[in-house]
Amino acid sequence: MTPRSYRTGLGLVWLVAILGGISGAIVGGLLAYDGEQSWLALPLWALGCAVAISLIAAPIMWQRVVLDERAGQLRYHNIATAHRWRKVPLTDVLEVRYDNFVDKRKAMVSGLYLHMRNGARPARHRLMDNEMGGYQGPSPMFRDIAATVLRAQPRSLVDPSLLAAQ
């Protein structure tokens, strides 16, 4: 069984860039309307804001996950790990919990919490769902991780929404 890799989709990156461009166009339009800037500067404002917002959001959005069932581990890096790779032994996972952003709990994006056995450091890992259209429930990545954890550790508690077939 080969390791399965997941990464941030380009759709999310493009969405952030487009939103940055729209906000830059609005700022440039307001400055031009007030007479402080020329209307010719409008595309520069749009481009500048698109680039600036994309650079700010890139480290927050960027995440890579490698699920290696043969080695019995999950490797990931994201903003929570300062983009350093972390290894999670699948047999040490006691609970897999899905935190849906639609429920407006603690996050602005959906997350998957992996609670580890006592004594493991860190005691909890959080993976972000970076797919577009998260209103359909857990992403295929989250479902794959939950199923792999159950195969490695059948006694793990797994959120039922991760096991439901779609």
Side-chain angles (χ1 to χ4, degrees), residues 7 16 32 87:
R7 65 186 333 168
V16 168
K87 292 180 183 179

Side-chain angles (χ1 to χ4, degrees), residues 9-119:
L10 283 179
L12 187 61
V13 176
W14 279 108
L15 176 68
V16 168
I18 289 168
L19 291 175
I22 290 170
S23 65
I26 291 170
V27 168
L30 290 173
L31 290 173
Y33 182 76
D34 286 341
E36 294 182 26
Q37 294 281 324
S38 166
W39 284 100
L40 297 176
L42 188 68
L44 292 175
W45 274 98
L47 179 65
C49 284
V51 169
I53 289 176
S54 295
L55 288 175
I56 291 168
I60 297 169
M61 296 182 308
W62 188 252
Q63 172 180 263
R64 291 202 54 196
V65 176
V66 177
L67 190 56
D68 191 351
E69 199 165 352
R70 184 178 299 172
Q73 68 182 0
L74 175 139
R75 296 184 309 273
Y76 75 99
H77 75 78
N78 59 22
I79 190 72
T81 66
H83 293 285
R84 291 179 302 221
W85 285 96
R86 291 267 169 91
K87 292 180 183 179
V88 178
L90 296 174
T91 56
D92 289 348
V93 177
L94 292 180
E95 181 181 2
V96 180
R97 190 170 52 86
Y98 177 59
D99 185 25
N100 193 352
F101 84 99
V102 177
D103 295 339
K104 304 288 184 209
R105 289 187 196 161
K106 299 175 188 164
M108 295 172 65
V109 295
S110 294
L112 187 73
Y113 287 99
L114 302 174
H115 295 274
M116 307 303 290
R117 66 174 170 74
N118 291 338

Side-chain angles (χ1 to χ4, degrees), residues 133-149:
Y135 288 101
Q136 287 91 25
S139 68
M141 175 183 75
F142 285 178
R143 291 179 190 280
D144 189 18
I145 291 170
T148 305
V149 165

